Amino acid sequence: MKDSEIVIIGANGQLGLALQKRYPGAVALDRQQLDITDQKVVNDFDWSHTKVIINAAAWTDVDAAEKPENFEQVDLVNHQAVQYLADAAKAHNLTLMQISSDYVFDGSQPTHREDELFSPLNIYGKSKAAGDLAAATAPKHYVIRTSWVIGDGKNFVSIMQDLAKRGIKPSVVNDQIGRLTFTDTLARGIKHLLETGAPYGTYNLTNEGPPTNWAEIAKIVFEKSGKSVSEVTPVSTTEYFTNKPGVAQRPLQSTLDLTKIEEAGFTPEDWRDKLDNLLA
């Protein structure tokens, strides 16, 4: 398959940028070039030279999604737009690659398998679960479920680096457990599934390594920034969100089981090595 037969949607996001590096000849589109929330625009788009749609576009502001005035737009971007793309994929015999989230689960299980039933705690998670179901209506589809994404642009690691640089001592939650996912690993895994013709369906995809918590990651960033780990104060999620009304409830366990993707022949790098390389 040629790069030019791949359409990357959400081209300017963290994953979109990583996908463009992996597929430099792909058709990379932002919302101004293809508004996937407009069904007519999606239907009228020229798909004749396309074989794969990779949808890396999403509403990702978890707390803003909780505001009633945003409900319609969150559902439109994360659910209805995915249905429009799935309908287009079905009509033109295309493969749809949809990016999902650990937030479709409530975090009550120590690890999450692909076949776990949906149990989202917040509006964002509900919209992503609906998007997963919409994507699955395309006969040729992959749903890539990931978590704790780190790439070019603003993310947890870059925020902690900035705080360390400015001498700010943050409080960081220590009871949300998971693994980082670096966008270049995510892009490489997506390419592996497409190139090997792996069976369609849902795949968990994060970096490998022992599950950890956000406070421990923050300590690594601070230490690598020449600061003391004591400048990071671990707190519970409940403590952190005290006096912060309107925030979304977070799952405490975000670790995704990687057995299926590894049995498909893809072994992600250890998140600790990737973080070391990034901070170096």
Side-chain angles (χ1 to χ4, degrees), residues 80-103:
Q80 294 182 51
V82 181
Q83 188 64 66
Y84 302 155
L85 292 173
D87 291 344
K90 185 176 181 179
H92 299 278
N93 192 32
L94 312 178
T95 296
L96 173 63
M97 180 79 70
Q98 169 67 16
I99 310 304
S100 183
S101 167
D102 62 288
Y103 273 47

Side-chain angles (χ1 to χ4, degrees), residues 240-272:
Y240 183 82
F241 287 117
T242 299
N243 300 321
K244 294 179 181 178
V247 299
Q249 188 176 355
R250 265 75 167 171
L252 296 183
Q253 181 51 264
S254 294
T255 307
L256 299 177
D257 185 296
L258 300 176
T259 302
K260 185 176 179 180
I261 191 82
E262 291 178 346
E263 288 180 345
F266 181 76
T267 303
E269 306 94 329
D270 192 300
W271 68 264
R272 296 169 297 182

Side-chain angles (χ1 to χ4, degrees), residues 1-279:
M1 178 171 49
K2 296 181 290 188
D3 284 10
S4 60
E5 295 173 321
I6 297 171
V7 170
I8 300 169
I9 296 170
N12 295 329
Q14 291 189 86
L15 178 55
L17 294 172
L19 286 166
Q20 288 186 69
K21 292 178 182 177
R22 188 65 57 176
Y23 294 110
V27 179
L29 306 173
D30 59 22
R31 186 169 183 175
Q32 283 66 47
Q33 295 163 310
L34 179 63
D35 183 0
I36 60 171
T37 66
D38 187 323
Q39 187 175 21
K40 186 177 186 304
V41 169
V42 174
N43 289 344
D44 291 346
F45 185 79
D46 181 6
W47 298 106
S48 60
H49 302 292
T50 304
K51 287 187 177 179
V52 176
I53 304 169
I54 305 177
N55 182 29
W59 176 295
T60 57
D61 190 333
V62 177
D63 292 325
E66 295 294 304
K67 297 179 180 179
E69 62 267 28
N70 291 332
F71 287 178
E72 184 176 342
Q73 187 64 23
V74 174
D75 183 69
L76 184 59
V77 175
N78 289 352
H79 167 216
Q80 294 182 51
V82 181
Q83 188 64 66
Y84 302 155
L85 292 173
D87 291 344
K90 185 176 181 179
H92 299 278
N93 192 32
L94 312 178
T95 296
L96 173 63
M97 180 79 70
Q98 169 67 16
I99 310 304
S100 183
S101 167
D102 62 288
Y103 273 47
V104 301
F105 303 127
D106 62 11
S108 61
Q109 302 296 321
T111 58
H112 303 290
R113 291 169 49 89
E114 287 85 354
D115 57 1
E116 183 177 333
L117 296 178
F118 294 136
S119 53
L121 296 173
N122 53 49
I123 298 299
Y124 166 77
K126 291 176 181 177
S127 70
K128 292 300 289 183
D132 287 7
L133 294 174
T137 64
K140 297 161 63 174
H141 76 275
Y142 295 99
V143 172
I144 306 301
R145 192 161 291 139
T146 191
S147 68
W148 296 19
V149 174
I150 305 295
D152 291 338
K154 185 178 180 181
N155 57 64
F156 180 80
V157 171
S158 66
I159 291 170
M160 290 301 113
Q161 286 180 301
D162 181 61
L163 295 180
K165 182 179 180 181
R166 292 191 286 142
I168 297 174
K169 302 177 181 180
S171 295
V172 184
V173 295
N174 66 350
D175 57 353
Q176 294 177 28
I177 310 299
R179 299 190 191 98
L180 295 178
T181 308
F182 289 82
T183 52
D184 58 341
T185 300
L186 197 52
R188 192 167 65 85
I190 287 170
K191 188 170 186 176
H192 173 84
L193 292 174
L194 290 173
E195 287 189 343
T196 60
Y200 297 118
T202 300
Y203 291 82
N204 291 337
L205 179 48
T206 70
N207 280 94
E208 259 289 9
T212 189
N213 62 69
W214 288 117
E216 289 302 312
I217 295 169
K219 288 179 181 180
I220 294 172
V221 176
F222 266 65
E223 186 175 37
K224 294 287 187 179
S225 301
K227 303 292 185 178
S228 171
V229 296
S230 64
E231 295 186 23
V232 176
T233 301
V235 296
S236 70
T237 299
T238 300
E239 290 174 299
Y240 183 82
F241 287 117
T242 299
N243 300 321
K244 294 179 181 178
V247 299
Q249 188 176 355
R250 265 75 167 171
L252 296 183
Q253 181 51 264
S254 294
T255 307
L256 299 177
D257 185 296
L258 300 176
T259 302
K260 185 176 179 180
I261 191 82
E262 291 178 346
E263 288 180 345
F266 181 76
T267 303
E269 306 94 329
D270 192 300
W271 68 264
R272 296 169 297 182
D273 296 333
K274 296 291 290 182
L275 182 58
D276 284 345
N277 291 337
L278 175 64
L279 297 175

